[in-house]
Amino acid sequence: CDSGTISMSFNDADNDLALSTGDTVSMTANNCVFSGVSMNGSMSVTNVSVLGNQVSAPYSLQFTLQTSGFSVSAGGETVAMNGGATVAESTNDDITFTSSISGSGIRITAGGETLTLTDFQITETENQATGAYTIAINATVSSSTLGGSVRVSTDVALSGVEPFDPNAGQLTCVGNNSSATLTVIDSTSVQIELDIDDDGIADDTFTEPWAAL
């Protein structure tokens, strides 16, 4: 650090100098400033499981990330994180990669907005040869913008081709006695069906561009 302090610990269980099964990593920062970036709080990586290696498939990595009062500030912006998650990535052919993040609760603050995810699982696949991808989101989302919580469930995984927005898929968002079903029309627009009285019948149906969501 240019100023402040940081302490780090790496328990290399098999002394291979690389992240592998059984390793643990922890870090605690106290106003640590380095090249204009400030860090505070603690972060740990535990429950590491690695199969294979990154050089050749098949390969998989999974670990538990836990943060407490962890924040990074740079250029007048601060991102803060509290809570934990299980992070995983795998590939069978070095072409298609599957990654996921899941957990019981994590809170992220950025740009003046606080987003809380509970009972969440987000899974993504990506074909690095074609750019094709899928995304499935299942989580309860609370934010200062929403002023409450919404349960997001993936009915059909969102899918598309990078760098474009999804061109297929369907999500359902359930709030306080109301719900919205978002059905992807194409990579530019989404159909939204609103059920404002939770009777299972759409009260309003309209189309929005992805850019408006």
Side-chain angles (χ1 to χ4, degrees):
C1 300
D2 298 327
S3 63
T5 61
I6 188 169
S7 61
M8 300 186 68
S9 172
F10 176 35
N11 177 25
D12 190 0
D14 55 6
N15 297 313
D16 67 349
L17 302 179
L19 190 65
S20 52
T21 299
D23 291 351
T24 60
V25 181
S26 63
M27 178 188 74
T28 300
N30 182 16
N31 294 319
C32 174
V33 179
F34 182 76
S35 297
V37 178
S38 175
M39 288 189 296
N40 278 285
S42 63
M43 175 185 294
S44 66
V45 173
T46 58
N47 300 319
V48 177
S49 176
V50 180
L51 296 175
N53 60 75
Q54 291 178 301
V55 177
S56 60
Y59 168 77
S60 68
L61 166 67
Q62 180 172 298
F63 60 86
T64 299
L65 175 68
Q66 187 70 38
T67 63
S68 178
F70 185 76
S71 65
V72 177
S73 300
E77 296 290 335
T78 298
V79 176
M81 182 182 299
N82 277 285
T86 297
V87 181
E89 181 182 61
S90 64
T91 181
N92 289 320
D93 54 14
D94 279 333
I95 297 174
T96 299
F97 288 78
T98 300
S99 58
S100 67
I101 180 169
S102 60
S104 58
I106 192 167
R107 176 177 293 177
I108 302 170
T109 301
E113 180 176 351
T114 298
L115 177 70
T116 301
L117 300 178
T118 55
D119 187 22
F120 64 94
Q121 178 160 352
I122 303 170
T123 303
E124 180 179 5
T125 66
E126 181 182 3
N127 185 306
Q128 295 191 345
T130 65
Y133 65 86
T134 67
I135 302 173
I137 303 170
N138 294 282
T140 297
V141 182
S142 305
S143 77
S144 49
T145 299
L146 289 173
S149 65
V150 173
R151 181 66 192 178
V152 179
S153 301
T154 298
D155 306 315
V156 180
L158 304 179
S159 60
V161 178
E162 291 286 1
F164 304 106
D165 288 318
N167 56 36
Q170 181 175 285
L171 301 176
T172 296
C173 303
V174 179
N176 185 20
N177 298 320
S178 63
S179 66
T181 299
L182 288 70
T183 303
V184 179
I185 298 174
D186 52 34
S187 62
T188 63
S189 57
V190 178
Q191 176 183 278
I192 302 175
E193 297 174 273
L194 290 180
D195 178 3
I196 61 175
D197 51 11
D198 201 26
D199 64 354
I201 300 173
D203 298 293
D204 191 14
T205 301
F206 54 94
T207 300
E208 290 281 359
W210 269 114
L213 300 178

